[in-house]
């Protein structure tokens, strides 16, 4: 990652199908430059898929030692997201995480320090 705090951002849309998760994980992992990015993306992707969107948009943004992965769909997520293994994995691997302001997606921030 750049020491100057400079950053980059990439975005790609995937079909809202479980089979797309593998492609999305690899795509995000190759841009994030973080060992846990693929696992975190997989969990976020699965959670967003539970709302049944036609498309899932993945955004990877880097700035200095930070990597933010955002996964959004076209449908609002359930008011109460499952508190299962996926949430535990994201919480354990990320510095912070949350729901997007429109309620249609999730994000997680990873650090390389």
């Amino acid at each position: 990652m750049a020491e100057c705090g400079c950053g980059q951002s990439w975005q790609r849309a995937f079909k809202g199908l479980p089979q797309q998760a593998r492609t999305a994980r690899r795509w995000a992992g190759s841009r994030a430059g973080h060992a846990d990015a693929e696992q975190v993306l997989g969990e976020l992707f699965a959670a967003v898929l539970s709302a049944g969107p036609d498309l899932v948009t993945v955004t990877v943004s880097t700035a200095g030692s930070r990597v933010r992965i955002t996964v959004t769909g076209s449908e609002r997520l359930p008011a109460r997201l499952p508190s299962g293994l996926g949430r535990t994995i994201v919480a354990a691997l990320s510095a912070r995480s949350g729901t997007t302001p429109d309620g249609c997606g999730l994000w997680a921030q990873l650090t390389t320090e």
Side-chain angles (χ1 to χ4, degrees):
M1 295 295 137
E3 293 293 325
C4 67
C6 301
Q8 287 190 285
S9 188
W10 300 268
Q11 188 173 70
R12 182 173 169 189
F14 297 88
K15 291 180 182 176
L17 300 170
Q19 304 90 307
Q20 292 291 296
R22 183 177 191 182
T23 303
R25 283 193 315 264
R26 287 185 177 167
W27 178 83
S30 69
R31 281 145 184 85
H34 191 284
D36 297 327
E38 287 190 35
Q39 179 69 44
V40 170
L41 181 279
E43 300 302 334
L44 297 176
F45 197 93
V48 169
L49 272 183
S50 71
D54 292 331
L55 288 175
V56 176
T57 303
V58 176
T59 306
V60 177
S61 301
T62 63
S65 63
R66 295 180 311 262
V67 176
R68 180 169 289 204
I69 299 171
T70 306
V71 181
T72 58
S74 54
E75 306 295 324
R76 288 187 59 81
L77 298 174
R80 184 177 147 108
L81 291 172
S83 59
L85 184 59
R87 178 175 268 178
T88 302
I89 290 170
V90 171
L93 296 177
S94 65
R96 296 176 21 205
S97 62
T99 305
T100 58
D102 64 3
C104 293
L106 300 168
W107 60 270
Q109 182 172 299
L110 310 171
T111 59
T112 57
E113 293 179 341

